[in-house]
Amino acid sequence: MSKPYTSILAQAAAAFALVACGSSDPASVPAADGSMAIDAASDQSCSEGRICSESCVALDDVAACGPSCTQCPVPTNADATCDGTSCGFACSPGFHECDGECVEEKRSCGVPLPSDACDSPSSCGEAGECIDSTCVCAVGFSACTAGCCPVTYATTTLANVEGDGVQLEYGSDGTAYILVQVEAVSGFALQLYTRAPAATTIVRETLTIPVGFDRENFDFAVREDGTVFVAASLGSAESAAVDLYEWRAGMAEATVENMGSAFGFNVGLGLAIDGDQTVWASWSRQRSGGLNDYSQTLGGVRQTHTNFPSGTISQTDVEWNPAQAGVHSFWGHRYTGSFVSGQEQLAGATPLATTCPADDAAFDANGRLWTIFNSYSSIVTHFCLDGVSVEGRDAIARSPRLPTRFDGPIVVDGEDTAFVSFYEQNAYTAHWLSSRDGESWARGELPIIFGNPMGATSPARAHVSSARAPSGRISIVVLPSNATMGEMTLVDLQ
């Protein structure tokens, strides 16, 4: 189609009319073909804003910020802002900015740690110290994104709770769930305790489950809707039953269904919930070798699977990898004079590029696999990150050195920093370790000191577990045994 004819006189008249109306911007003058090319900046109907998607918006509109009309992201604990050119954020009341995020006001900001070789304490800044020509985080500081972050503690205690095992999990609303294995007249029972968000007390819930005598024969997880799932073995013999309990607040007791049977003496149950809220359980099936695993979807679909690793094995852990949407079951055995380990992929299409032996495992947001394990030879504790392991006692530069062997869980915080916690019974103290590279670990001591009852001759025992809260921070629970003086204590690292 041909363009309409526009005379020179008509163009001049149109230009005069625009000038008469206050427009002197040449961009507003009609083109030679008679069409109008309007510059948004000169549009008098949007003189104090900008045109985005043919609409006039304010210069500080966080839904259309800057020349590209960008939707500003909303960080956690903050409100998005726009200065007319670029996005920013303002921390909510009670929070302040640290290392590019909004954290509670009581938490101090991180301090960079020099990576160059050092020769004096002053070479490592206010948060570091020089040990063996290397800058490491000083006492009271944890490894973090910025370098070293100061650690403070908030504790919640409950007296007259002791037992032979403990596990900690968080609900999506910030409720802390503590599952304790307590000793009863006829054996052991699992008892659930909770601490509500922002609460300062721990309370006992109605969930109680009888179990066998091996403290490792249970695991639990919490779904986003607050439903608690517990996998437990009810015996200590061949063909022990493996059951799945389901409980939520307000129920007098849990519902239960049998998932199968197990070797019995060292079931090593593992339980995890993936991103689709499907529950996964795995355990050692029988003496001749192999694992069973079980899944239950959010819609209630149940399925049992069988895996066949060779040799007599013991299930150790089940973890969900959020980066690759995979569920992995870790196993090992020490019955043949050597240490053998492996993993079975229960869900997901992408296999692990590298793996590690695991007595306990965790994935960070980037899909890196962190583990802690004890080797068979001389029983030495190791840390492992993506297939590269280091002896725990060689990973801490600062004195005193770590014990040759210790048992503790591993968990990753919201900054992809790994934390290991353990109880040193000869010193009656609980500790945490943290690392971002798997080789160099910072160290701290929890504000807990237990003791022996009067007349006791053996060191006091205690059990620890850790979990990441929805805020991304780490909490550690320490449970005294029935021969230890102390209170069950939940410690929040801040």
Side-chain angles (χ1 to χ4, degrees), residues 98-386:
C98 274
D99 313 324
E101 62 178 347
C102 292
V103 301
E104 294 180 350
E105 287 182 341
K106 58 187 176 182
R107 175 183 163 189
S108 302
C109 296
V111 179
L113 184 70
S115 58
D116 299 334
C118 57
D119 54 12
S120 67
S122 61
S123 303
C124 298
E126 60 181 286
E129 57 182 295
C130 184
I131 298 178
D132 296 335
S133 300
T134 301
C135 288
V136 298
C137 292
V139 174
F141 289 82
S142 166
C144 63
T145 301
C148 299
C149 290
V151 177
T152 57
Y153 307 101
T155 61
T156 310
T157 61
L158 183 61
N160 302 317
V161 180
E162 56 193 31
D164 202 32
V166 65
Q167 290 194 28
L168 172 67
E169 294 287 346
Y170 267 97
S172 59
D173 66 346
T175 298
Y177 295 82
I178 307 169
L179 193 61
V180 177
Q181 182 160 309
V182 296
E183 187 170 0
V185 176
S186 59
F188 287 91
L190 300 178
Q191 177 64 58
L192 183 66
Y193 298 83
T194 61
R195 186 190 64 185
T200 57
T201 57
I202 299 171
V203 298
R204 178 174 173 174
E205 300 291 351
T206 59
L207 177 60
T208 301
I209 301 171
V211 294
F213 290 89
D214 186 341
R215 69 181 179 86
E216 295 181 355
N217 279 4
F218 71 95
D219 198 4
F220 88 112
V222 183
R223 206 164 55 189
E224 287 182 352
D225 62 2
T227 303
V228 176
F229 291 88
V230 181
S233 173
L234 300 183
S236 300
E238 296 282 2
S239 301
V242 180
D243 294 330
L244 182 68
Y245 295 82
E246 184 174 340
W247 178 90
R248 63 185 60 85
M251 295 176 60
E253 59 183 22
T255 61
V256 59
E257 64 178 279
N258 178 255
M259 296 186 292
S261 61
F263 174 28
F265 292 103
N266 195 2
V267 176
L269 284 169
L271 189 72
I273 297 178
D274 67 16
D276 295 328
Q277 299 303 291
T278 296
V279 179
W280 292 88
S282 184
W283 62 93
S284 306
R285 185 176 66 256
Q286 56 189 6
R287 186 184 294 273
S288 60
L291 299 173
N292 269 9
D293 59 275
Y294 168 96
S295 63
Q296 178 180 325
T297 69
L298 190 61
V301 178
R302 296 163 168 80
Q303 188 173 0
T304 299
H305 317 264
T306 302
N307 301 283
F308 292 95
S310 61
T312 301
I313 65 171
S314 175
Q315 164 72 44
T316 59
D317 196 13
V318 177
E319 293 291 335
W320 175 57
N321 180 358
Q324 299 175 344
V327 179
H328 301 269
S329 173
F330 298 90
W331 58 267
H333 75 80
R334 301 181 176 91
Y335 301 112
T336 60
S338 62
F339 177 64
V340 180
S341 64
Q343 67 88 25
E344 295 290 325
Q345 186 158 347
L346 307 184
T350 304
L352 295 179
T354 58
T355 188
C356 293
D359 286 325
D360 197 40
F363 288 97
D364 63 24
N366 295 310
R368 297 188 302 171
L369 172 63
W370 296 80
T371 74
I372 179 173
F373 68 95
N374 286 308
S375 64
Y376 183 86
S377 177
S378 301
I379 313 297
V380 176
T381 298
H382 292 72
F383 306 129
C384 188
L385 171 60
D386 277 348

Side-chain angles (χ1 to χ4, degrees), residues 408-419:
I410 190 167
V411 66
V412 180
D413 73 1
E415 297 183 354
D416 287 345
T417 299
F419 281 79

